[in-house]
Amino acid sequence: MTDIIRMLGISGSLRAGSYNTALLRAATELLPEGMTLDIYNLAPIPLYNEDIRAQGDPASVQEFRTRIADADALVIATPEYNYSIPGVLKNAIDWASRPPTPPLPGKPVAIMGASPGGFGTVRSQMHLKYLCADLNMYPLNRPNVLVSHCQEKFDPAGRLVDEETSEMIRKMLVALAGWVRRLQTTPDE
Ligand SMILES: Cc1cc2nc3c(=O)[nH]c(=O)nc-3n(C[C@H](O)[C@H](O)[C@H](O)COP(=O)(O)O)c2cc1C
């Protein structure tokens, strides 16, 4: 068991002004002691193509898989696109899911999301949890971080200014630390 819990943050949005990436940036400032969070940029990952994979994973995919493998947990901030997760995120997950030695099975993951609408990405988060079942990942079920009306909760520079949301993220990170420790003491058979 490592003392420090090293997390990899993944945003499902490539947009410079993304609220979901901003949510991850906020999480880096709300970390409990003993946790680190690096944000990974999915932009260099190409569209999944089995022909490309047959020639060996592209360097960006290799790096992504290594960064997942090296992390004690993932924190995914997903937008909601048409009631589901964006293709960018699904595409990256598809690359990471392929053999040999896929890094996702057994990985604890916390999911959060921000949307300008009233539902705070609940539908895309449920879809992501559905994928986690197939991937044999271990999503944290509570507390939920569902950030609705997100345009009111960030300032123009993309800094989270809503204390209730900050508190939800803090609680989620503390719960994730407990979840990681629990899974580390009960490893897979
Ligand atoms: C293709 C597309 C589909 C969308 N579908 C939904 C949706 O189903 N539910 C929702 O709440 N917002 C939806 N939105 C709005 C996004 O929540 C909004 O663009 C959000 O800011 C995206 O996240 P980001 O700020 O991290 O880029 C959609 C946006 C796009 C571009």
Side-chain angles (χ1 to χ4, degrees), residues 13 15 17-21 79-83 114-117 123:
S13 174
R15 208 165 72 78
S18 161
Y19 290 114
N20 286 280
T21 309
E80 182 169 288
Y81 278 10
N82 299 313
Y83 283 21
S115 160
R123 296 159 296 210

Side-chain angles (χ1 to χ4, degrees), residues 32 37 40 54 60 79 119 124 133 148 152 163 187:
L37 175 60
Y40 196 80
S60 58
F119 295 96
S124 62
S148 57
E152 298 164 11
E163 185 46 41

Side-chain angles (χ1 to χ4, degrees), residues 32-33 37 41 47 66 110 121 129 133 149 163 172 181-182 185:
E33 199 158 330
L37 175 60
N41 178 11
L47 284 178
T66 302
T121 74
K129 285 179 179 163
H149 308 294
E163 185 46 41
M172 186 271 287
R181 295 291 181 223
R182 195 162 155 178
T185 52

